[in-house]
Amino acid sequence: MELDAVSRSYKRWAPIYDFSFGKVSESPRRRTAAHVNARGGRVLEVGVGTGLSLPLYSHRVAVTGIDFSHEMLARAREKVEEMGLEPVKELRQMDARELDFPDETFDTVVAMFLVSVVPEPERVVSEMARVCRKGGEVVIVNHFARDKGPLAAVEKALARFENTLGWHSDFAIERVTADPRLEVVEQTPMSPGGLFTFLRFQRR
Ligand SMILES: C[S@@+](CC[C@H](N)C(=O)[O-])C[C@H]1O[C@@H](n2cnc3c(N)ncnc32)[C@H](O)[C@@H]1O
C-alpha cells in the first residue's frame, strides 16, 4: 500500500476499528502485552493505532507509541487520557519507515498487525532493528500468507483489494525475517485458529 492509501483507509477505519477488530485481536494482543510486560523496560509500539494494547501494559514498562494516521492516534490519546494509562509516556505521529529515535533506544520494539499494512515493510523492520538495543527484542504479530489450502486461494483473491481493506491479505513472512541484525527465536501460531503468528527476534 502507498502511504496516502494507508491514511485514507485508516481515516475510515478509526471510528469503527475497536468494534470490528477488537474481539478477533484480543487474545494475541493480551499474550503479546504479557510478554512485553514480563521483559520490562523501554518499549516502542510501532503502528499503535487506536491504542487497543495500551491498557494492557503494566508499570514495569515505559511505552512510546507511534502511528502515521492522525485519526487512529487521536483515539489512542483519548484512551490514555480517559483511563489514566501511566505506562504510556508518549504518542507521536510518525512514519514507521523513518523512526525519529536514536539507535538502540528501546529494550523491546513491538508491531502488532502492522507489517502487512505498511508500505516497504522491509524498511520498517530495518528501522525497528536499528532502534532496538543489542540483546533486546523485536516482536511482530501478524497474519501471514498460507502456502496451500482453500484459504490460501481466498487470501490471493483478496490481495487486489488491499487499498480498500487496509491490509495485504497474502503477505509472505519472508518479507520480515531477512534483516541480518535480527535472529528469529520464536515463531508460534496464535489464536484464533492460528490466524496470527507471534514472531520474536533477538537483536544481534
Ligand atoms: C491494522 S492497524 C493495527 C493497529 C494496532 N497495532 C493494533 O494492534 O490494533 C495498522 C496501523 O498501522 C498504521 N500504519 C500504517 N502505515 C504506517 C506507517 N508507515 N507508519 C506508521 N504507522 C503506519 C495505520 O495507521 C494503522 O493504525
Side-chain angles (χ1 to χ4, degrees), residues 173-187:
I173 196 167
E174 291 76 18
R175 293 193 69 180
V176 295
T177 52
D179 192 293
R181 289 163 296 182
L182 297 178
E183 181 189 359
V184 178
V185 288
E186 184 178 351
Q187 183 179 334

Side-chain angles (χ1 to χ4, degrees), residues 181-200:
R181 289 163 296 182
L182 297 178
E183 181 189 359
V184 178
V185 288
E186 184 178 351
Q187 183 179 334
T188 314
M190 297 177 109
S191 63
L195 181 63
F196 300 111
T197 300
F198 181 82
L199 196 51
R200 189 162 65 85

